Amino acid sequence: MESLQNELSWKQFMTKADLQQAVTETLKPLKGRFTPGFAGLKLGATGAVYNEAIALMEAFARPLWGLIPHASGGGESDLWPMYIQGIIHGTDPDHAEYWGDFGTKDQRMVEQSVLGLGLALAPHQIWDPLDDQQKDRLYRWLNQINLVDRSNPNNWLMFTVLVNIGFKKVGLPYNQEIMDKYLDTIDTYYLSDGWYSDGNTDQRDYYIPFAMHFYSLIYAQLMGEDDPERATRYKERAVLFAQEFMYWFAEDGSSIPFGRSMTYRFAQVSFWSALVYADVQPFPLGVMKGIIMRHLRWWFEQPIFTSDGILSVGYAYPNLIMGESYNAPGSPYWSFKAFLILALPDEHPFWQVEEEALPELKPLHAQPHARMTICRPEGNKHVIAYGSGQMANFEMAHTAAKYSKFAYSTLFGFSVPKGYYGLVQGAYDSTLALSECDEHYRVRRYCEEFRIEEQVVYSRWLPWQDVEVRTWIIPAGMWHVRIHQIRNGRNLDVAEGGFAIQPPKDLGISDEDMIVSVENGVSAHMPWGISGIVNLEGFGEAQMIYPDPNTNLLKPRTMIPTLSNRLLAGEHWLSSAVFGATYCEQNVVHWTTPPIVERDPEGRITVRDSKSSIIYYSADITKELETYVASSN
């Protein structure tokens, strides 16, 4: 039997029928995976921080993010009889597969939200088939979410709101007071320009579009008549956010890999689906359709399904290394949030309009709330985010790699460590790694200070208490310049990594055949891209590092152009120019002309391109440093 990937490779994602078939075909392999009582799905043997029973329930619930809009928009699926049995048994305290009681924050609250959505959007599938006793049991089990004391709130507050919306839509008792309280709390997370924070945290990742905005747009559509003031506010914020979030997408449909929960994959586009669902049009409908359809095409071209058709944990291929502690085998089906758009009726203009390309966007765009500057050096072909000051409010695997690298790219992705001994295990792309000359490396994690501008992204960070690093990232088209001022109270080995790039795939071409070495630099030239790095000041050796496999999110094998040196205790300046672009003859020429950094004794820094045009100028960087030191003391 051909893999599901091959079966769907011809899909063009042009029509509603295409998306409906994508849902039914990708969920078909689940049919033989139900537990005996149908209240769980056994999709794999790996674990998560919650117990296996909850993981089975999660796997049961998450495909409903696709099935419910599919049913609401008129779609049929032979999975529904099994899902009804699962709901009946999962909410029956006397059944062996009862989903259980809880009184504190619990993973089951996350999964309850889609059942609330089901009551609102597809009661004919989830509610009407139940008898009175079964309905009462479902209500009692779901109503536990109203009895939980929510500490450390974030986007989870919206799960309670969705459940109560479902109750209201089918005429059940609902808790208006708790909805108002939680929605008021969500409002305190709003920053401006469409941006939220996800609770009390410095992270600005995909949870803003596929959680904060996604749920609030569902609320706006379902509760617009009951609560027009909030609905209007949520739509206005979403319009502002769309102007910003547009910058995260490339013309091929890919989006910047960044942050946690990357295994939710095409949920990245669910914000755009929610906009259309809520009848919000910050851009022409054809532009929004293009974003959604190209994104789905891009994802369904990746090997994200296992050989037996199960959506894997991973990003562009199955990969447990980059997963989170809360990623169980069924977790990736949150991707199906993207299919909210299937709730639209057949006659909706979205299904009739022709796709349009991305609009022309600025080559450099600072997003201070996101704490990054977005660079589009080749138009819409390649998107790079230069970041500073991001950090999640809890420790997850590879936090520094997911939030604190210098650059994140749609073309090259980013890498996570497989281990922490040496450059090969560490896979230190797009970062500066430092060790006490013992092969145990540290990188930028928390930023003591940061600044986001179009011309420069700045940070001050402390890998050790007696080691201070100040980093300036200056975008320069397909190049970017990194300048580090290091004050170290101990001897250090340093390694500056460029973008990770996939090596040759063919037997007849060796990795070394594709390496181009120049004075003070090294690069890899592949048909799918060019990645290189050049020493401008302070580094010694330029070499190609071959990190452990399965460390990069986009490609299982990569190579990283890297500069290195040993620094004695003291003060040092390091500068490098990093190149990342698609492959073409013009870009091959660009690689040979790196930017120039000039630093004079008075502390002025000038960055020029190869034609001597000034890209960045700091009138007195020494004065800036003194100011920062004074403020930190």
Side-chain angles (χ1 to χ4, degrees):
M1 176 180 169
E2 288 187 341
S3 71
L4 178 66
Q5 191 66 47
N6 291 333
E7 290 173 9
L8 291 182
S9 63
W10 59 271
K11 296 299 292 182
Q12 296 299 306
F13 290 102
M14 300 291 292
T15 67
K16 183 179 182 181
D18 288 343
L19 270 67
Q20 288 175 320
Q21 187 175 350
V23 170
T24 56
E25 290 294 320
T26 53
L27 296 184
K28 190 181 294 183
L30 305 185
K31 202 169 183 179
R33 301 293 190 117
F34 283 92
T35 53
F38 298 100
L41 278 166
K42 181 70 173 177
L43 301 183
T46 58
V49 290
Y50 37 90
N51 68 34
E52 185 178 358
I54 294 177
L56 294 172
M57 186 268 166
E58 176 194 71
F60 172 92
R62 296 209 167 178
L64 290 170
W65 286 103
L67 273 178
I68 286 167
H70 178 263
S72 179
E76 301 287 341
S77 170
D78 58 4
L79 290 176
W80 278 114
M82 286 168 275
Y83 265 99
I84 292 303
Q85 286 301 305
I87 290 171
I88 291 171
H89 295 153
T91 57
D92 182 357
D94 295 326
H95 195 277
E97 294 190 12
Y98 176 54
W99 290 328
D101 300 327
F102 57 89
T104 59
K105 180 181 178 181
D106 193 280
Q107 180 66 29
R108 285 165 284 190
M109 298 167 61
V110 182
E111 316 317 327
Q112 285 184 326
S113 62
V114 76
L115 295 174
L117 182 70
L119 294 176
L121 287 188
H124 64 290
Q125 290 289 9
I126 280 188
W127 184 248
D128 296 345
L130 308 181
D131 64 30
D132 289 345
Q133 185 180 43
Q134 293 162 351
K135 288 177 178 178
D136 181 65
R137 287 172 178 165
L138 174 58
Y139 172 74
R140 289 177 182 276
W141 186 79
L142 285 174
N143 195 53
Q144 292 180 94
I145 203 169
N146 284 324
L147 308 177
V148 173
D149 179 23
R150 290 293 299 113
S151 59
N152 189 28
N154 53 16
N155 74 87
W156 278 43
L157 296 177
M158 292 301 294
F159 302 147
T160 304
V161 173
L162 287 175
V163 169
N164 280 283
I165 292 173
F167 288 167
K168 180 180 176 70
K169 293 298 181 180
V170 294
L172 291 168
Y174 62 96
N175 194 321
Q176 185 66 52
E177 180 182 358
I178 203 169
M179 279 205 293
D180 289 338
K181 177 183 176 182
Y182 286 0
L183 292 171
D184 287 346
T185 302
I186 291 289
D187 276 346
T188 67
Y189 305 151
Y190 184 69
L191 303 171
S192 65
D193 302 323
W195 285 95
Y196 288 86
S197 64
D198 185 15
N200 183 24
T201 178
D202 290 323
Q203 68 197 75
R204 307 286 188 270
D205 51 26
Y206 282 102
Y207 277 85
I208 308 309
F210 70 42
M212 308 302 282
H213 279 292
F214 182 78
Y215 303 133
S216 63
L217 285 167
I218 290 175
Y219 182 92
Q221 180 65 8
L222 294 177
M223 299 291 288
E225 293 184 4
D226 300 272
D227 190 358
E229 183 178 345
R230 276 201 184 100
T232 299
R233 184 160 66 245
Y234 293 157
K235 291 182 178 183
E236 290 173 346
R237 290 174 180 173
V239 168
L240 293 174
F241 183 76
Q243 318 296 324
E244 298 284 290
F245 193 44
M246 172 76 75
Y247 278 86
W248 289 41
F249 289 80
E251 69 179 16
D252 65 355
S254 62
S255 188
I256 301 169
F258 172 78
R260 67 186 178 106
S261 296
M262 288 286 91
T263 200
Y264 300 153
R265 293 185 172 107
F266 41 96
Q268 291 171 342
V269 85
S270 61
F271 167 75
W272 300 99
S273 293
L275 280 174
V276 181
Y277 169 73
D279 196 28
V280 181
Q281 292 189 29
F283 297 97
L285 203 55
V287 170
M288 296 163 69
K289 183 174 186 177
I291 293 172
I292 295 168
M293 299 306 195
R294 287 190 298 271
H295 190 72
L296 291 173
R297 289 185 201 116
W298 188 89
W299 275 111
F300 278 82
E301 290 172 357
Q302 313 305 318
I304 58 178
F305 293 93
T306 64
S307 59
D308 53 355
I310 302 301
L311 190 57
S312 63
V313 175
Y315 193 67
Y317 60 95
N319 185 353
L320 285 174
I321 295 174
M322 50 72 64
E324 315 296 355
S325 61
Y326 51 82
N327 289 161
S331 299
Y333 284 88
W334 237 19
S335 301
F336 280 61
K337 285 181 171 184
F339 291 113
L340 176 64
I341 203 151
L342 284 176
L344 298 175
D346 294 352
E347 63 275 11
H348 193 281
F350 178 84
W351 304 118
Q352 320 306 325
V353 72
E354 294 292 328
E355 291 181 36
E356 296 180 36
L358 289 171
E360 185 176 346
L361 299 171
K362 296 192 300 182
L364 273 177
H365 178 57
Q367 296 186 341
H369 293 301
R371 301 184 178 180
M372 58 178 62
T373 289
I374 308 293
C375 181
R376 309 176 79 85
E378 300 180 77
N380 291 329
K381 287 183 181 180
H382 180 203
V383 185
I384 307 170
Y386 301 114
S388 180
Q390 285 247 26
M391 184 53 64
N393 64 341
F394 69 99
E395 275 304 319
M396 66 193 75
H398 314 308
T399 305
K402 292 170 181 175
Y403 288 96
S404 297
K405 288 185 185 283
F406 302 143
Y408 295 87
S409 159
T410 56
L411 184 60
F412 302 105
F414 71 90
S415 303
V416 298
K418 199 171 191 176
Y420 288 91
Y421 185 81
L423 299 178
V424 171
Q425 291 183 10
Y428 297 115
D429 62 333
S430 298
T431 194
L432 178 70
L434 308 95
S435 83
E436 296 179 278
C437 307
D438 60 0
E439 294 293 317
H440 292 278
Y441 285 87
R442 298 188 183 189
V443 296
R444 185 177 72 170
R445 288 175 55 81
Y446 178 76
C447 293
E448 303 294 324
E449 296 155 0
F450 66 92
R451 187 171 74 249
I452 306 295
E453 299 174 6
E454 284 191 352
Q455 288 75 29
V456 63
V457 173
Y458 165 82
S459 63
R460 183 174 74 88
W461 46 290
L462 305 174
W464 291 270
Q465 285 302 308
D466 63 345
V467 177
E468 179 186 65
V469 184
R470 302 177 189 275
T471 297
W472 291 261
I473 303 169
I474 297 100
M478 281 167 275
W479 292 91
H480 68 272
V481 171
R482 303 178 194 167
I483 302 172
H484 309 286
Q485 189 257 5
I486 301 176
R487 291 170 175 163
N488 49 309
R490 60 188 75 189
N491 296 343
L492 294 174
D493 283 340
V494 295
E496 180 89 90
F499 292 110
I501 187 169
Q502 182 186 23
K505 309 176 195 177
D506 300 332
L507 288 173
I509 306 174
S510 72
D511 296 351
E512 290 74 16
D513 291 339
M514 310 305 287
I515 294 175
V516 177
S517 295
V518 296
E519 185 179 0
N520 299 322
V522 64
S523 66
H525 292 216
M526 307 291 173
W528 40 87
I530 304 172
S531 172
I533 193 166
V534 173
N535 171 37
L536 302 179
E537 180 184 4
F539 289 103
E541 183 183 7
Q543 61 182 314
M544 193 64 70
I545 299 296
Y546 297 87
D548 275 346
N550 307 315
T551 48
N552 186 263
L553 268 68
L554 290 183
K555 301 299 178 182
R557 289 184 62 242
T558 57
M559 47 207 296
I560 303 173
T562 302
L563 303 174
S564 58
N565 205 357
R566 176 161 291 181
L567 307 180
L568 299 179
E571 180 174 335
H572 305 270
W573 285 89
L574 307 176
S575 299
S576 65
V578 179
F579 189 85
T582 59
Y583 183 86
C584 66
E585 290 303 319
Q586 184 178 11
N587 289 349
V588 171
V589 174
H590 279 311
W591 154 248
T592 64
T593 55
I596 300 164
V597 174
E598 301 165 350
R599 183 169 57 86
D600 65 26
E602 284 71 40
R604 291 183 288 267
I605 283 186
T606 304
V607 179
R608 301 178 186 272
D609 63 20
S610 60
K611 299 178 181 178
S612 295
S613 298
I614 294 178
I615 300 170
Y616 173 73
Y617 174 71
S618 175
D620 193 344
I621 204 165
T622 304
K623 186 175 180 180
E624 288 183 8
L625 294 177
E626 291 171 351
T627 302
Y628 291 134
V629 170
S631 65
S632 63
N633 290 336

